[in-house]
Amino acid sequence: MISAMSDAVEPFARAEASAANLRELTGVPGFDAAVVLGSGWQAAAEAIGAHEQEIPLADLGGFPRPTTGGHTGAVRYLAKGGLRVLLFLGRVHLYEGNSPAAVVHGVRTAVAAGCRAIVLTNAAGGIRPDYRVGQPVLVSDHLNLTGRSPLTGPPPPDGYPSRFTDLTQAYSARLRALAREEDPTLAEGVYAALPGPHYETPAEIRMLRGLGADLVGMSTALEAIAARHLGAEVLAISLVTNPAAGLATQPLDHGEVLAAARSSAARIGALLSAILPRL
Ligand code: 8IG
């Protein structure tokens, strides 16, 4: 196993090495789809289905340890229908001090291991006044307001696509339609990704609404860019866990986020369970 790869190794080679370790440790030659569970979505992990194996990310190389409550540094392998699915039990964020390359390492590893579809889940603040806490929303597009890109740096090595990635279809219309077949009540919205870790001011939320954002969070956009760069299809689902700043009287806190997510675990678990075999 290739474990002690230095930071000097370029990110695509590091992802290939992690994918090789994943194949070796699972004994599975390739995978079809990957799911990244965001804040609160871990409560849905069991409802998604029984897993065959669970591998600590520390054994794969290249993965920083998650420091956010609820995020676990492990990946599960599940068989769903005829598909071999990787389920990441958490993610890391820019606000933990991670580089964009570290933030997208899981997505790059999944694609290097064969995944052609990536499902990104997150908890988000709801900007649209008709969103309710506990409601899942399909991400139709994003505003990357992190000021960062996973494609910054030297050009990708030979054999990889150009870094000038087209993002007109960042979030697959096909996969969103498929999700709506499973749950026709699913709303769609534009996700604004901010660096965090602080929440917004009410003035910032008014600004974001003016910019066309419906949801606000601290993840997903960089992972979606990395996945699209490598040609994978992306489905992203936000769980609205709080009204964005200024839209409710209560102050925002991470405990509220996790509690809201836990009470939706059965619904979002059933949703993912229904979608996964069809990816
Ligand atoms: I959950 O209101 C969750 N994540 N930036 N703002 C930002 N991130 C969030 C929020 C929110 N709620």
Side-chain angles (χ1 to χ4, degrees):
M1 148 164 151
I2 313 151
S3 54
M5 302 209 62
S6 83
D7 274 358
V9 175
E10 57 84 12
F12 297 96
R14 220 178 313 160
E16 292 286 352
S18 295
N21 288 338
L22 185 61
R23 290 193 197 96
E24 186 181 317
L25 290 170
T26 56
V28 178
F31 301 88
D32 302 300
V35 183
V36 180
L37 295 181
S39 290
W41 286 75
Q42 291 85 1
E46 305 312 323
I48 294 168
H51 59 285
E52 312 287 330
Q53 302 188 50
E54 182 170 319
I55 309 283
L57 295 180
D59 292 355
L60 300 183
F63 285 91
R65 207 162 46 82
T67 65
T68 311
H71 293 255
T72 303
V75 61
R76 289 179 177 175
Y77 159 56
L78 293 77
K80 287 295 286 182
L83 295 192
R84 299 159 300 177
V85 176
L86 293 171
L87 184 62
F88 290 89
L89 299 181
R91 64 157 54 84
V92 296
H93 307 80
L94 288 174
Y95 66 71
E96 295 168 88
N98 295 301
S99 66
V103 165
V104 306
H105 184 64
V107 165
R108 283 183 175 150
T109 296
V111 177
C115 296
R116 306 314 301 159
I118 305 289
V119 180
L120 302 170
T121 67
N122 62 58
I127 295 178
R128 264 195 15 208
D130 53 317
Y131 287 163
R132 294 289 160 260
V133 165
Q135 176 182 353
V137 177
L138 299 173
V139 175
S140 58
D141 207 343
H142 76 218
L143 299 171
N144 176 14
L145 301 177
T146 65
R148 311 295 294 274
S149 170
L151 300 171
T152 302
D158 286 351
Y160 285 88
S162 154
R163 59 186 151 188
F164 301 110
T165 302
D166 180 88
L167 292 176
T168 21
Q169 307 278 349
Y171 299 89
S172 165
R174 183 185 80 87
L175 295 183
R176 277 183 277 142
L178 199 147
R180 274 197 308 272
E181 281 176 26
E182 296 301 331
D183 182 351
T185 71
L186 283 170
E188 293 198 351
V190 172
Y191 178 90
L194 273 72
H198 53 272
Y199 295 118
E200 294 69 35
T201 64
E204 287 167 338
I205 292 301
R206 290 192 294 275
M207 172 190 77
L208 291 173
R209 185 188 299 160
L211 294 176
D214 302 310
L215 302 152
V216 58
M218 306 174 193
S219 70
T220 302
L222 300 189
E223 291 153 88
I225 293 167
R228 294 303 297 140
H229 171 243
L230 296 173
E233 267 190 297
V234 176
L235 176 68
I237 314 175
S238 290
L239 183 69
V240 176
T241 51
N242 60 275
L247 300 180
T249 45
Q250 254 112 316
L252 309 183
D253 85 309
H254 192 64
E256 166 196 27
V257 167
L258 297 181
R262 262 193 302 275
S263 60
S264 298
R267 180 180 179 191
I268 62 184
L271 177 63
L272 285 179
S273 185
I275 293 171
L276 286 178
R278 305 188 55 198
L279 290 178

